[in-house]
Amino acid sequence: MHVTMSGVLIFRKNGVVQFISNPTKESFQQEAEAESTYFGVGGGTATAPGARPRVLVYVPSNQVIKSYAELEQRLQELGWTRYHNGQSRSSDLIQYHRSDASAHLISLPTNFNNFSSIHMYDIVVKNPSYFQVRVL
């Protein structure tokens, strides 16, 4: 965790960084509860009980991404490659990078069922013209 002037950056085990502005004790408790309730169903995910599922869409073809095979194909078309960096096969992350000279890195859980809206938005931020997160 890293404290900033207007909030807190939380570095999660899954490689995703999340910013919480003006945090309170309750917001940390809610984040801990929400992190344990992420789930994936048919390519859509929800971030909390009762939330509407979200899907990652590849905009040029309006394709809903339903598997890592589909996502990897689209990322490779955009110049992303699988990043291994000496990781063992038992790693709990799949990572992609643009090049060895680039600081851009996409980290995803190895199980697509754990692919959440946080991961989707990470992909969108790094590929804004090609991906969108849509609510079902």
Side-chain angles (χ1 to χ4, degrees):
M1 180 168 33
H2 175 72
V3 178
T4 66
M5 293 184 93
S6 61
V8 175
L9 292 173
I10 297 180
F11 297 87
R12 302 202 184 280
K13 294 177 202 171
N14 62 2
V16 175
V17 177
Q18 182 177 9
F19 178 76
I20 300 176
S21 61
N22 303 318
T24 62
K25 181 179 177 183
E26 291 78 22
S27 66
F28 284 111
Q29 290 170 338
Q30 289 171 351
E31 285 300 317
E33 291 169 7
E35 187 172 336
S36 66
T37 60
Y38 291 126
F39 65 94
V41 177
T45 65
T47 57
R52 293 178 58 194
R54 288 165 173 71
V55 292
L56 181 66
V57 176
Y58 181 69
V59 175
S61 63
N62 206 30
Q63 173 192 13
V64 174
I65 301 297
K66 296 179 184 172
S67 70
Y68 278 148
E70 293 176 359
L71 178 59
E72 185 164 312
Q73 176 188 353
R74 297 306 184 181
L75 288 174
Q76 286 177 348
E77 290 170 3
L78 298 172
W80 291 89
T81 58
R82 195 84 173 257
Y83 183 71
H84 297 286
N85 193 26
Q87 293 177 358
S88 69
R89 294 267 181 212
S90 63
S91 174
D92 59 347
L93 290 177
I94 298 172
Q95 296 183 313
Y96 297 91
H97 69 118
R98 288 244 167 150
S99 71
D100 291 333
S102 172
H104 294 291
L105 187 68
I106 296 173
S107 297
L108 306 171
T110 54
N111 186 338
F112 191 73
N113 288 333
N114 296 329
F115 183 63
S116 70
S117 60
I118 290 174
H119 303 104
M120 294 178 194
Y121 284 112
D122 187 37
I123 293 168
V124 170
V125 165
K126 293 170 182 157
N127 303 278
S129 300
Y130 297 95
F131 290 98
Q132 288 181 345
V133 176
R134 295 185 186 160
V135 178
L136 292 179

